[in-house]
Amino acid sequence: MGRGEDVELIRSFLAGAAAGGGALLLVGEPGVGKSVLVDAAVEAASAAGTLVLCAGGAEFEADVSFSGLNQVLFPLLEQEFDRLTDGHRVALSVALGCGEGPPPDRLVVSNATLGLLRAIGADRPVLLVVDDVHWMDRASAGVLAFVARRLAGSRVGFLAASRTGMESFFEGAGLPEHELQPLDGDAARTLLEARFPALGVKVRRRVLAEARGNPLALLELPAALTGPQRAALRALPAVLPLSRRLQTLFVSRISELPEASRQLLLLAALDATVDLRVLQAAVTERGGSDPLAAAERAQLLQVDESTGRLTFRHSLTRSAVVELSTTDQRRRAHLALAEMVDQPERRAWHLGEATIEPDERVASLLEEAAHRIGGRGDPAGAVAALTRAAHLSPLRSERSRRLAVAAFLGVETGEMGTASQLLRDARRADPAHGGGSLYAAATGAYLLSNGDNDIEAAHRLLVEAIENRTESDDDEALVEALWTLSLLCWFGGGAEKWDPYHAALADLGTRVPPLLALLTATFPDPVRTAAPALDQLTTTISSLRDEIDPTRIVRTCNAAVFMDRLAGCRDPLWRVVRHAREGGPLAPAVSALIYLCVDDFITGRWDEIGQLADEGLEMGDAHGYHHFEWPFHYHRALVAAVRGDQETSRIQIDEGLRWATPRGARGIELYIHHAQGLAALARNDFEDAYRHAVAISPPGVFASHVPVALWVMMDLVEAAVRTDRRAEAAAHVAAMHDADIAALSPRLALLVAGSTAIAADDDDATVSFERGLAVPGSDRWPFEVARVRLAFGEHLRRARAPGAARVQLASALETFDRLGARPWAARAGHELRAAGLSTAQPADVGDLTPQEREIAVLAAAGLSNKEIGQQLFLSHRTVGAHLYRVFPKLGITSRAALRDALATLPPRPSRDGASL
């Protein structure tokens, strides 16, 4: 009643979904009638021949992974799963607890679910209906949100109902939404009169005022009244708060049921996935006949004929059933359910809820379940299971260890506050050892580095824990601690930070995992150690196409970043990001965004960097990953620098320094030097560029354990040459060849050849320039190739080969223009004009030659004759001679008048004739 427009909207949605897919989220306050509309949609869709799959969120199963998805897909298990590929079928069966196999990634489960629904939809329309989606467990909510966003073009519909303002794991942002409003006065009155025609006038008025258009209250408040009260023969209570009254109504209706019925309701409330026949058998064994009938007559629940499971008519019924039960009743119910279920994780969960006293057997089962849950890409579910396992651990040491592992996983989920609290609990659980496991130390060091503490303190804490580890710290704990230590060593900068890392690695000997060994070869000091590991790196990157573990993907990228192999990691990295957007682990996603930024910069995808940085900074700020915010500022600074936006570059550099400097993060400061040096090159301040480059690594040396030195080696050589430090430039080029850096990657080979040419005598430069530009696939790094072409064109112009110079310069200019690298485009344009490109000036320009005009512009900008000569490769005396001729042509007598004189000249034409 009163839902004409809402029903029409639902019908329209069903028709559209049956034809081309779609999703709709119904939201509204409790009791407003969402479930009634959902039921109407189910009835209409079923009548139209649509296959309807239903599920309902359960407040008490929010920690049970994939319990909601189990409800949805259970009817399809026997006949429809054959449509899936072997990998998807196994992944889905394992996730639903119906099969054996390795723990599947949530993204694989999501794709399998979507593929299955689409395949069925090709034969007949499908409607996926989820009531109370706000109580859906995290894993199921992530899969359902993934599916709901990808139904366009299918014949699959997704209809879900959720309470307004209710926090949930289901991320419905962006989905079409319809908010169900309370009934208006006329509809509310009509509904009340239809259901309670004998209600007294005053009582009706009071109920309407109390219900405020809420259909559930309209139907239930009068039912709770006595006959005399409904007939207005007895006064109503003075105050009836709506929420309290509704809860009381449910409790009273449940308490009137026979004991066997209440037992059945409690079992169903605590586990909605158990078959009705199993539940009934369990209750009947304890005495009582037909426990279901009384509950059905009270309209508290109904049986889903397609799945054979009980469903509550309203979510508050389930809450009331549990609230009405005693602690002992709930414990015994969980114990009974543990005997009924086959899935190890659900059995462990029920046993955990049924156990009061510490029990190592149950704690171990929960810990095993946590490992399986975590392996499926649900670290939050693993944290919940480990926390319960810790509470049931008889030994303080085991309790502390399990809490520490939970804290370690908590960092990955993005709940930094939860991780911090779990770590404190771990330390309190075992005061004698202070929560001294390696997991606790790794988590503590991570949280320290992420907070306001200096990097040295975090590094020292973890090193001491590694050096003082006990027999209870197994290899897995040590390996995880070393991964965290590698991050702190990188932040700290310098070879000495890595010494404890290498010492601990040596203790592991042959037990070092291959991926950690690969990182050790290619990340800390790649100049000296990476070459022998390149084949293994290639093989490992190739294996990522089938990798489902976000952490492993990101760790592989750690090993690939300085070897310029991120291009082969882009698809897996995007999988990690999309997984996080659908509710997956957040820590790997932040790292994935950083590595995508790295690859975007060297491949010229500069516009995308801004988008990725925005997402990364928002994610870091929202979830407390503060020590991973600086890379996004760093990349923003790089892009601003190469595009000539000095102010933005400075602001982003300052943001990075604001985090790094107080914490003594010297390793991060080296990257900031890179951005500062690039900004200096952009403004032709070669002295400042040289200063920043040598702050990273001295000329002629590749500092130990400073891999960023590889990224600035051509910057150092160019700045050295421009500031007449040719000996330093030659020494740095020699160091590149001595270390055979060109063998590490094609991009580094390009930079080595370009650096060699820039520092070479004129007779040898051409060969090196041509060698660099001939590197296979060099077009993948457009900015660096254009810089080499610009330097080559400058060399050719000085060698009086203007035709050849123009070819290189024109290509460089086109690339710089396309990238938006304005400072370098300006340099290329200057060189083109000096090389004789036809850019004829109007007759009233003052008869300045292109080179005279260029010199005049630079002098007007405040550059000295020496600085102008360095930029244009002229002697300062030649610059002075040109200016001597420029002054009379412009009718001036000093440099101070240059700016005003040049402002009176008409704009110079561009290469295509347009005014610049």
Side-chain angles (χ1 to χ4, degrees), residues 26-34 134 161-165 178-181:
L26 290 176
V27 297
E29 65 182 25
V32 78
K34 301 183 296 296
H134 49 270
S162 178
R163 289 186 183 180
T164 303
H178 177 64
E179 182 169 5
L180 199 58
Q181 301 295 330

Side-chain angles (χ1 to χ4, degrees), residues 518-558:
L518 181 62
L519 174 102
T520 306
T522 62
F523 183 78
D525 195 18
V527 172
R528 294 165 181 81
T529 61
L534 293 179
D535 289 342
Q536 182 191 352
L537 177 61
T538 299
T539 301
T540 304
I541 292 173
S542 297
S543 71
L544 292 184
R545 68 172 62 93
D546 301 317
E547 184 57 63
I548 62 174
D549 183 355
T551 299
R552 182 173 175 82
I553 291 171
V554 167
R555 287 175 174 177
T556 300
C557 293
N558 291 354

Side-chain angles (χ1 to χ4, degrees), residues 722 851 854-876 879-880 883 895 898:
R722 296 280 192 167
Q851 191 166 68
E854 196 58 39
I855 291 172
V857 169
L858 295 174
L863 274 66
S864 67
N865 287 3
K866 182 179 180 180
E867 291 170 332
I868 296 172
Q870 289 172 349
Q871 180 165 327
L872 301 181
F873 293 98
L874 301 171
S875 73
H876 67 279
V879 173
L883 287 174
R895 297 171 89 99
L898 271 172

Side-chain angles (χ1 to χ4, degrees), residues 78-92:
E78 293 184 1
Q79 297 182 350
E80 301 293 349
F81 272 36
D82 288 339
R83 295 174 180 263
L84 295 170
T85 63
D86 290 344
H88 277 175
R89 184 173 61 254
V90 170
L92 209 50

Side-chain angles (χ1 to χ4, degrees), residues 146-219:
F146 177 98
V147 169
R149 289 183 171 84
R150 291 164 174 81
L151 296 178
S154 69
R155 300 175 69 198
V156 181
F158 177 86
L159 179 65
S162 178
R163 289 186 183 180
T164 303
M166 187 83 168
E167 292 185 2
S168 74
F169 297 129
F170 183 83
E171 180 51 63
L175 292 179
E177 183 176 292
H178 177 64
E179 182 169 5
L180 199 58
Q181 301 295 330
L183 296 177
D184 61 27
D186 291 340
R189 190 175 298 105
T190 301
L191 175 61
L192 195 59
E193 290 175 352
R195 286 294 298 270
F196 301 97
L199 207 60
V201 175
K202 291 183 178 180
V203 176
R204 183 183 303 116
R205 188 179 302 136
R206 175 66 185 277
V207 169
L208 288 171
E210 291 282 350
R212 300 178 184 177
N214 185 288
L216 181 63
L218 289 167
L219 296 175

